[in-house]
Amino acid sequence: MHEELATQGLTVITVALDRAADAERWIAKAEPTHPSLVDEAHLVAERYGMVNVPTVVWIDEEGRIARPNDVAFTTDQGGKFAGVSTAEQMARLRRWVAGEEPAPEEGTAASAADRSPEAQAARAHFGLGWWLHERGSVEAANRQFARAGELAPGDFTIRRGTMRLRDADPFGPDFMEMVAGWLGAGNSYYLPLRD
Amino acid sequence: MATRSGMVAGVHTLTILDCGRPVEAAYRDDGDALRVPEAAVPKITGWKLEPHGLCRDDLCIPVRDESLATADGVSLAALAAALGRPLAVDRNEAAAYLGAPAAAQPAVVTGAMAPDFSLPDWRGGTGGLAEHRGRKVLLAAWASW
């Protein structure tokens, strides 16, 4: 997709909210030609208020947000799970690159962005946790990750994203339980843009 | 320096992560507050404690919390609160993280400037957003988890 749309003026930048070692296994297989960045400390998540992946943001030629945080999958299976149509999203992206898709109305806000004081506090605890983890203070780090998750129960970049650091399986029972609890309280796991 | 009852007498080094940027400062833990020397406040936060409040350039924030600055130093928690910044602390590890203020975060809306970043690229080197100005960008966050 990047090669196809690159000639029409689109640059794809991927950012992995992940440990380098975990992300690079996937990146090395894909051998991407586009910038493929690794964000272990979740700086991009903080700057864009991201709470889950996959999340895409369209940015125009002037560096402005043309379409804020939205759920987008590259596979139909993932799209179905999130309740979005992958084909429709791709078609819309192609139209935008071709200059045919009007941008969402100015001021359209992302559903999947959390700028609350609790979210910022959670990111501070995550930041301290990551720093402690890197220094080998694993238990101290886990206490910070736990606190971050309590403050921002809907932030899966924190709750699911730290599972491997806490020796939990992000595809196992801990994750299933986390999602069931979140959905059971009447929330959504994915928050597509409403426009 | 004046002491209060129950205060730990020793002065140690605290690592404060200012939005991830590590800054080291001497500190005292009086069992209640972690206190850093007033002189360390500018290098930690960019703000200076003046008689009329916390100041940076032409801007001053009045400080109403009288316990913020005492003879034992400046309370890190009170400092964070005055600046509207979240604070995470691990006393045993002598580490703290001073996060970005919620109120200063730009809304993620169409038309807003997209925040820039600089991150390592898997091939080596770094990549960011600003260098792609003039082209449309699809920023895609993903993870293996």
Side-chain angles (χ1 to χ4, degrees):
Chain A
M1 182 199 75
H2 176 246
E3 278 93 3
E4 177 206 329
L5 292 176
T7 56
Q8 296 172 45
L10 181 75
T11 297
V12 176
I13 302 175
T14 59
V15 175
L17 303 178
D18 222 336
R19 282 190 301 198
D22 294 327
E24 281 167 5
R25 269 200 289 274
W26 292 82
I27 299 172
K29 258 185 238 167
E31 292 190 30
T33 55
H34 56 73
S36 192
L37 313 179
V38 180
D39 183 10
E40 293 190 307
H42 293 196
L43 299 176
V44 166
E46 167 157 31
R47 280 178 207 166
Y48 289 82
M50 291 170 181
V51 293
N52 207 348
V53 295
T55 296
V56 295
V57 184
W58 295 0
I59 297 162
D60 71 15
E61 293 88 336
E62 294 170 7
R64 291 182 188 281
I65 294 173
R67 189 175 170 79
N69 308 7
D70 197 5
V71 182
F73 279 91
T74 49
T75 64
D76 289 335
Q77 195 191 357
K80 259 182 210 152
F81 189 49
V84 296
S85 161
T86 304
E88 209 172 284
Q89 285 183 330
M90 277 305 302
R92 179 153 56 193
L93 178 66
R94 285 198 175 87
R95 290 198 301 274
W96 176 60
V97 173
E100 293 159 5
E101 171 81 9
E105 198 180 327
E106 185 143 325
T108 298
S111 313
D114 194 347
R115 287 296 198 211
S116 64
E118 293 76 18
Q120 285 306 104
R123 291 183 181 114
H125 284 280
F126 172 84
L128 182 55
W130 172 247
W131 187 80
L132 291 167
H133 183 88
E134 275 200 299
R135 290 166 61 91
S137 299
V138 174
E139 282 177 26
N142 289 354
R143 283 193 291 275
Q144 296 298 326
F145 293 146
R147 182 72 191 120
E150 286 163 12
L151 285 162
D155 188 333
F156 293 93
T157 68
I158 291 172
R159 293 185 67 199
R160 193 181 185 188
T162 60
M163 279 190 158
R164 284 210 186 94
L165 309 181
R166 295 182 280 120
D167 275 333
D169 179 0
F171 297 91
D174 292 326
F175 170 62
M176 299 306 165
E177 195 183 314
M178 175 191 293
V179 172
W182 182 244
L183 298 180
N187 304 296
S188 304
Y189 184 64
Y190 291 115
L191 297 162
L193 189 69
R194 290 183 295 265
D195 67 333
Chain B
M1 187 178 272
T3 54
R4 286 192 343 218
S5 64
M7 206 188 87
V8 177
V11 175
H12 306 282
T13 303
L14 179 72
T15 301
I16 300 148
L17 300 148
D18 166 40
C19 292
R21 177 187 66 101
V23 183
E24 292 198 337
Y27 81 108
R28 281 167 184 271
D29 186 346
D30 65 12
D32 178 28
L34 299 183
R35 294 193 177 272
V36 295
E38 196 179 311
V41 172
K43 79 168 177 178
I44 299 167
T45 65
W47 295 78
K48 192 167 183 280
L49 200 59
E50 306 270 14
H52 42 289
L54 282 159
C55 300
R56 187 171 65 183
D57 303 328
D58 299 339
L59 194 64
C60 284
I61 303 169
V63 174
R64 294 189 181 84
D65 182 354
E66 283 175 9
S67 69
L68 183 132
T70 68
D72 294 333
V74 175
S75 156
L76 203 56
L79 181 65
L83 295 172
R85 299 180 61 175
L87 180 71
V89 173
D90 187 314
R91 292 180 124 92
N92 295 332
E93 300 282 338
Y97 194 107
L98 200 50
Q105 297 303 301
V108 188
V109 298
T110 52
M113 285 307 293
D116 196 17
F117 46 82
S118 179
L119 292 168
D121 189 282
W122 81 289
R123 288 183 190 277
T126 57
L129 181 62
E131 67 236 44
H132 301 288
R133 190 66 57 83
R135 287 173 66 84
K136 285 180 169 136
V137 171
L138 178 74
L139 174 64
W142 68 283
S144 68
W145 40 263

